[in-house]
Amino acid sequence: MTRLQATAIAHSNIAFVKYWGNRDPLLRLPYNDSLSMNLSAATTTTTVAFAEDLSTDRLTIDGEKHIGPALDRVSRQLDLVRLRAGLRLRATVQSRNSFPMGTGIASSASGFAALTMAAAQAAGLSLSEAELSALARRGSGSAARSIPGGYVLWHAGTADSDSFAESVFPADHWDLRDIVAIVSRRHKGLGSTDGHGAAEGSPLFRGRLASVAETLATVRGALASRDMARFGAAIEAEALNLHAIAMTGRPPALYWSPATVAVMHQVQAWRAEGLAVWFTLDAGPNVHLICEGQDAAAVEGGLRNLEFVEGILANRVAGAAHLAPTLVV
Amino acid sequence: MTRLQATAIAHSNIAFVKYWGNRDPLLRLPYNDSLSMNLSAATTTTTVAFAEDLSTDRLTIDGEKHIGPALDRVSRQLDLVRLRAGLRLRATVQSRNSFPMGTGIASSASGFAALTMAAAQAAGLSLSEAELSALARRGSGSAARSIPGGYVLWHAGTADSDSFAESVFPADHWDLRDIVAIVSRRHKGLGSTDGHGAAEGSPLFRGRLASVAETLATVRGALASRDMARFGAAIEAEALNLHAIAMTGRPPALYWSPATVAVMHQVQAWRAEGLAVWFTLDAGPNVHLICEGQDAAAVEGGLRNLEFVEGILANRVAGAAHLAPTLVV
């Protein structure tokens, strides 16, 4: 029996300049460049094993067997790897997340990054980081950003090959923290794949696209100079911009829960009191509180006093996706 | 002693197509036409008495004496009336609201409509409804819509004289209800006069302006044909569009409280269960639930079961601003 197996670990990421809307939905070519940091406490570990005795791909996430749309999406990603490797074998995919799925922490980002890296390795492919990033993008756009390490820029590009992410600063460039206030563990109503499609229906979407290059320049510049106040103001405005597009999309998507708004107001109140903390959000209800390392304890402590916060996930800037010793499963 | 006194009663209004942003802030000429209904349970009653023995204007709202910015704004409005009437006398202004101020129910709309009508009458002016509406607009844009009755369209116009509101359907055209879920009686952080200025800073504002004529045509058409589903979907999208602009303005304004979001989700849940109710919001935290008369009891009953709703204001469509027998005060 042929044994083609590998395990990869990838970190989720939080975008400071968001990815929202696809110029090419099939290839997941985005309208704009985006910029993120990898999250140390939010990882997916995935083992892919191609085997001769399988008639279909099999998928297990957090110990639960998946069929239907989730498996189909994984199989399509494996097909890209199989096509490139000239491989016909089906695979078992076993995946574990360190965080709840579908709550605004991008499980699809770390998930498809780990899947792609593990599958490519198991299939015997030798791909560059940029090639892996572009390939991960096909499974989930933001997965492109979970391949490189530290602070990551995803070039929107113009085609399959030049739409990939790369590190712009290493993890130790700046000790930013992302303290996630988890306010809901429920799976969100509208998945982000659908959300990207709805974005173009927003009458406000063109305005977003016209301004996002300026946002990126501001955020990247503030990141380079470690200017927290400038960085924070820009990323908070950008997060509200994303949700403004989402709530005016067709169909409209209101990802926020009451507790989301409560945390957002609390962050602004803390800031008025002198605590240097800002928020960002992905397409979900949880609020990501961004601060420097020196303020992380105060932010975490503050969140622990809020009854409507169900949990906290404290992240440092994490490194690149990487291979792990293969688990015998 | 000269006695020039009059009392007027005006209804607040809720806009289905919103007024947000001024092409000319001084004249309060808006960027776009807006459309509203008058609210039966939200009124301001104002008595204006010009008198020779006054050295300054005096203002009392809900029994409380006001000086500073609130009085200055009223005095500027009285100046317009005095200028037109050739009158130099100062006035006492006594005003009562039937609802809490600054909570998203437009107290400035009914307030400046009643003030303008009472002051014009007390000063002996004889103005048409359009002239009164244009004059009320100078005090507060949405006050222009509280002069005519029923369903009201404010023509953006191009100058002081042609930017006024008129009734497009009488109050009995359609028995719509506005059941306001009051979730906060606190005065909002950013007043709507400031909000209008911030709107132009939103990178999304041009997109709003480009689409608002289509929104107006949809809403007006659905109003004409009493098509609740079409009407409701359009006004809910328009309300989210307004708040998308507000939250991306400079400075950004997040008018929602946690309970605002809870009510919005509840409305969508009720609708999924078959209750024909939609929401709209002004620049504040309270949620206006819009339904037909036949569904009003169910909507009110539902709201009464929500612990986070502090109060309910149930409105029918109301008539025009009108003069009242002068109260001897």
Side-chain angles (χ1 to χ4, degrees), chain B residues 235-272:
Chain B
I235 67 166
E236 200 169 286
E238 164 65 359
L240 292 170
N241 186 302
L242 170 80
H243 284 267
I245 298 301
M247 72 177 63
T248 57
R250 290 186 190 178
L254 186 60
Y255 291 107
W256 300 350
S257 69
T260 305
V261 173
V263 175
M264 288 159 63
H265 285 303
Q266 186 62 66
V267 167
Q268 296 180 334
W270 282 334
R271 206 157 63 228

Side-chain angles (χ1 to χ4, degrees), chain A residues 203-205 207-208 211 214 237 240-241 243-245 247-248 250 252 254-259 261-262 264-265 268 279, chain B residues 203-205 207-208 211 214 237 240-241 243-245 247-248 250 252 254-259 261-262 264-265 268 279:
Chain A
L204 310 181
F205 187 56
R208 167 170 174 75
S211 63
E214 187 185 332
L240 291 170
N241 186 303
H243 284 267
I245 299 300
M247 73 177 61
T248 57
R250 294 190 186 171
L254 186 60
Y255 290 107
W256 299 350
S257 70
V261 173
M264 288 160 62
H265 285 303
Q268 296 180 335
F279 65 76
Chain B
L204 311 181
F205 187 56
R208 167 169 174 77
S211 63
E214 186 185 331
L240 292 170
N241 186 302
H243 284 267
I245 298 301
M247 72 177 63
T248 57
R250 290 186 190 178
L254 186 60
Y255 291 107
W256 300 350
S257 69
V261 173
M264 288 159 63
H265 285 303
Q268 296 180 334
F279 65 75

Side-chain angles (χ1 to χ4, degrees), chain B residues 260-316:
Chain B
T260 305
V261 173
V263 175
M264 288 159 63
H265 285 303
Q266 186 62 66
V267 167
Q268 296 180 334
W270 282 334
R271 206 157 63 228
E273 293 166 7
L275 185 59
V277 58
W278 282 261
F279 65 75
T280 185
L281 305 99
D282 270 345
N286 296 329
V287 188
H288 295 244
L289 278 63
I290 309 296
C291 64
E292 294 183 278
Q294 68 209 36
D295 295 314
V299 170
E300 276 197 58
L303 284 179
R304 285 189 203 289
N305 287 331
L306 302 179
E307 77 218 33
F308 46 85
V309 173
E310 295 182 12
I312 293 171
L313 197 67
N315 296 281
R316 294 167 181 259

Side-chain angles (χ1 to χ4, degrees), chain A residues 236 240 263-273 279, chain B residues 252 254:
Chain A
E236 200 170 285
L240 291 170
V263 175
M264 288 160 62
H265 285 303
Q266 185 62 67
V267 168
Q268 296 180 335
W270 282 333
R271 206 157 64 228
E273 293 165 7
F279 65 76
Chain B
L254 186 60

Side-chain angles (χ1 to χ4, degrees), chain A residues 188-211:
Chain A
K188 63 202 179 196
L190 186 70
S192 41
T193 297
D194 295 333
H196 287 288
E200 291 184 67
S202 168
L204 310 181
F205 187 56
R206 293 287 145 187
R208 167 170 174 75
L209 293 185
S211 63

Side-chain angles (χ1 to χ4, degrees), chain A residues 4-8 46-50 77-78 80-82 84-85 87 112-128 131-133 135-136 147 323:
Chain A
L4 300 164
Q5 181 169 328
T7 296
T46 298
T47 300
V48 175
F50 294 100
Q77 186 69 0
L78 292 172
L80 297 175
V81 173
R82 283 186 280 250
R84 207 179 281 221
L87 190 72
F112 278 93
L115 173 70
T116 302
M117 179 173 271
Q121 175 74 12
L125 290 174
S126 179
L127 301 179
S128 69
E131 288 170 322
L132 269 177
S133 173
L135 192 55
I147 295 289
L323 294 167

